[in-house]
Amino acid sequence: MSLNLNGLQNEAELIAVTAPRLTLLQSEPKLRMDGNFSPAVVFSVLVLSAVLSSSLALLEPYDLLYDNAVQAFYNSDYENVVRYMEGALSSYAEVRRTKVRCRLRCQDQHPFDETFSDLLFFDVVLRRAACLDKCIEEKIGTQSMHRVSEDVVQDFHRRIPYNYLQLAYQKLKQPDKAAAAAHTYFQANPEHVEMGQDLEQYKDLQGVKREHFVDREARPHQRSFTAAVRLYDMGDYEGALKLFEEALLEYYKADVDCRALCQGPQKFEGHDHLRYRYSLHELVSDHFTQVLHCEHECVRDLATRPGRLSPMENYLPLHYDYLQFAYFKVDRVEEALQCALTYLLFHDGEEFLTDNVDYYSEVLGHDGEPRQEAAWYLRRHKQELELLLIGSKTMGVEFTEGNYWSSTGGRDNSNRIPSGTDGWMEYVPISEKKNVTVAALQQLKEGGPLVYDSVRLVQNSAALNGTQRVLLDHVISEEECTELRHLAHAVTIAGDGYRGRMSPHTPNEKFEGATVLKTLQYGYEGRVPMRSARLFYDTSERARQIVESYFMLNSTLHFSYTHLVCRTAITGQQDHRNDLSHPIHADNCLLDPDANECWKEPPAYTYRDYSALLYLNGDFEGGEFIFTEMDAKTVTASVKPMCGRMVGFSSGGENPHGVKAVTSGQRCAVALWFTLDPLFRELERLQADEVILALDTQSVWGQGLNINPKDEL
């Protein structure tokens, strides 16, 4: 396979304002070296750069500021919450801006030559690396200080800092700023029903105005597009044209930024980028392919709203579709023809736009040309695809092109114009995603024996308004509940199962947990009664047998994960709670409320088939378990926890669920997930089985237990 890269230089110059530096494939003004090039020159440049860049840090790392803000929150020091959290958000934004600016500056300062040799190529690579290090460290300090854990990065992507901020501003009696923070958080977390309700309450507060409800993290291209569609629907075509053009300009700028942030290790699913390769060129190929894949996926990123899984359908082409008709409505047929032709670059031969092109050409008396920035953008996209197919084959990884330009929907066929959608109603899944909610569940049964005489059926699937759901009482006794709660107080650790994050779901509660194997280890060491540790083990097995029997499964149900957990309301932080204890989710797929879908793909635990929660107490406020529709808003059933009560259900998209806020006291339960696939049995459970067997046969005495806790999930 070969690439034709001719003709890009002039076109790149034509779109320098709209889409600067859109690719690494384009030709640019070149830096040439004389024939006396020596590798020592490169080494000297690197040494000099290292000396010049050894400056003190100029910017505090945002993860440190974030941690300080969280600690201040738990200490009820709300002024410092605001100080540190606003600082963290500012630092986070500055790090991203600096990386973009420095990469583009160094790319301009050290362009590739038109003719390549190995030394010339790596000369540019090394000089760019030295330039990048120097540039970044001059702006934000030593780069190692700004290496942040994935957990913190994900918190910022999910806008968790704004949840802390809105609570802090609320405590500080600054409702206008609280409203802005709450609105910003809600845009990326629409499943938080209480947050939406609180936003309505903010509107009635004195001093809070409509303009205070701003999305502080709004992406300019999406904001302009939404505003443009609103004016278009109102018939204000002149105003809409201005905003649509602004949206396109911001889109291409955002594309440049997105691609600049793709530096660093990237990953294809199932491929280890850091594994040793014998060939230098294989290693370079692997890394370049992964970076290129990230850049190629910017199409999807720019079309996806915060907190959503699926991109807006036909996002970029839709701009030109709206524009062609809006220009026609204001009698600017030349521009209408150009935009219609541009749309056809993405959807060649599309019937209605083809008719419009014929009409516009007839009115003008001549043909037209599509916009150059879009033509070049699409040509680069196709060239990248060719390279990705070559690179992924070298890596031994299957690559499938995403369905980026789907044109179904978003159009009123009777008028041959865009449909007047608000711009965010139609979504299309990326190819290779598996929709697990449309396929009917096969041969599902329920109503089997409850195994134990004491267990009582409270509600079945019909009573719980769903599929494969059951609510049972008296699974364990009051005495057993009390003993397991005492065990939980002795063995659970804050953040267990969540990499030590004490409040993984909400800053208003503390989460603690422990596994079966860990409790057995504590029992063997004499730190807790072995009888209590054994009770945890036996209770989870009882729950497994009940679920397997009630749902009349034809094969063995295996443990996937078992967790003794407690959620505790943090005193002083329960006023105006606007979040859930555990957000609405499904256990084996990624819930997408806007698309009304659930995608069975990583990072979801796709191998989980059934779930159960056995409650140990009910002496707390809030904490109801809820089932919802896939919109994550419509509650279909609510369960009030109490000692010995257990809710069991299938783990897929048919059963979205969550937990309401625990506003007072502590809620404890045994959480269980099961799989029908023996390959995904819980390793700790297998080790716990061996410990129990050793205890039962009394072979453990005198030789010690070989217990190796491993509570990563």
Side-chain angles (χ1 to χ4, degrees), residues 303-482:
T304 304
R305 280 193 299 169
R308 309 310 197 274
L309 298 173
S310 301
M312 179 186 171
E313 180 178 326
N314 203 30
Y315 181 68
L316 178 59
L318 197 57
H319 288 68
Y320 297 104
D321 196 359
Y322 276 112
L323 280 169
Q324 63 90 18
F325 192 77
Y327 274 123
F328 170 72
K329 293 293 286 185
V330 299
D331 200 28
R332 295 170 64 178
V333 182
E334 192 82 47
E335 290 93 334
L337 173 61
Q338 185 184 51
C339 291
L341 288 168
T342 304
Y343 184 89
L344 290 176
L345 291 174
F346 298 91
H347 302 295
D348 186 28
E350 202 269 350
E351 178 183 358
F352 300 109
L353 263 295
T354 299
D355 289 347
N356 285 5
V357 166
D358 292 341
Y359 173 76
Y360 297 147
S361 298
E362 182 178 347
V363 170
L364 292 170
H366 61 79
D367 295 331
E369 295 290 336
R371 291 192 178 184
Q372 288 300 303
E373 80 272 8
W376 183 83
Y377 180 89
L378 193 57
R379 184 158 56 252
R380 180 196 64 184
H381 191 80
K382 293 177 180 178
Q383 292 174 346
E384 288 177 344
L385 175 59
E386 293 185 58
L387 289 177
L388 283 169
L389 291 172
I390 297 171
S392 59
K393 183 177 180 180
T394 301
M395 294 168 64
V397 176
E398 183 178 353
F399 171 75
T400 305
E401 172 75 336
N403 188 6
Y404 298 104
W405 315 124
S406 173
S407 61
T408 58
R411 168 178 300 284
D412 184 341
N413 289 343
S414 62
N415 296 322
R416 303 182 185 180
I417 60 171
S419 64
T421 171
D422 69 356
W424 301 116
M425 299 304 293
E426 299 291 342
Y427 294 86
V428 62
I430 295 299
S431 63
E432 296 303 299
K433 279 189 173 183
K434 182 179 179 182
N435 183 346
V436 298
T437 60
V438 272
L441 296 170
Q442 299 296 315
Q443 299 180 338
L444 295 180
K445 301 177 182 179
E446 65 176 277
L450 297 178
V451 185
Y452 298 90
D453 293 338
S454 63
V455 180
R456 293 289 180 267
L457 174 65
V458 179
Q459 291 179 303
N460 59 13
S461 292
L464 290 168
N465 301 311
T467 303
Q468 293 282 277
R469 301 174 179 177
V470 66
L471 183 63
L472 306 167
D473 275 349
H474 305 304
V475 174
I476 58 176
S477 67
E478 290 281 354
E479 292 75 15
E480 289 170 324
C481 284
T482 299

Side-chain angles (χ1 to χ4, degrees), residues 478-488 529 531-533 535:
E478 290 281 354
E479 292 75 15
E480 289 170 324
C481 284
T482 299
E483 186 169 354
L484 287 175
R485 285 194 69 188
H486 288 159
L487 177 68
R531 176 179 176 277
S532 299
L535 177 61

Side-chain angles (χ1 to χ4, degrees), residues 486-494 496 513-534 536 564 691 695 705 707-709 711:
H486 288 159
L487 177 68
H489 295 157
V491 302
T492 56
I493 293 178
D496 184 78
T515 61
V516 169
L517 187 62
K518 179 180 176 181
T519 59
L520 288 173
Q521 181 187 28
Y522 273 40
Y524 176 71
E525 294 172 351
R527 299 165 69 178
V528 298
M530 179 57 81
R531 176 179 176 277
S532 299
R534 177 66 182 260
F536 179 23
L564 177 61
V691 172
L695 288 171
L705 281 177
I707 298 179
N708 180 26
D711 55 14

Side-chain angles (χ1 to χ4, degrees), residues 64-84:
L64 177 60
L65 292 166
Y66 180 50
D67 184 64
N68 289 340
V70 172
Q71 292 303 317
F73 186 87
Y74 291 133
N75 293 331
S76 300
D77 183 1
Y78 300 111
E79 289 186 355
N80 272 327
V81 172
V82 169
R83 172 191 168 198
Y84 287 123

Side-chain angles (χ1 to χ4, degrees), residues 65-133:
L65 292 166
Y66 180 50
D67 184 64
N68 289 340
V70 172
Q71 292 303 317
F73 186 87
Y74 291 133
N75 293 331
S76 300
D77 183 1
Y78 300 111
E79 289 186 355
N80 272 327
V81 172
V82 169
R83 172 191 168 198
Y84 287 123
M85 199 64 79
E86 292 287 10
L89 289 166
S90 177
S91 176
Y92 173 74
E94 181 58 30
V95 168
R96 290 171 62 88
R97 283 194 298 267
T98 297
K99 288 181 178 179
V100 170
R101 287 195 300 261
C102 289
R103 181 190 174 191
L104 298 179
R105 179 190 301 173
C106 295
Q107 184 174 305
D108 284 345
Q109 290 179 1
H110 304 284
F112 286 111
D113 206 330
E114 292 178 354
T115 57
F116 284 79
S117 70
D118 284 354
L119 289 179
L120 288 171
F121 173 79
F122 284 107
D123 170 67
V124 175
V125 170
L126 291 172
R127 289 179 186 276
R128 281 192 183 180
C131 172
L132 193 60
D133 284 344

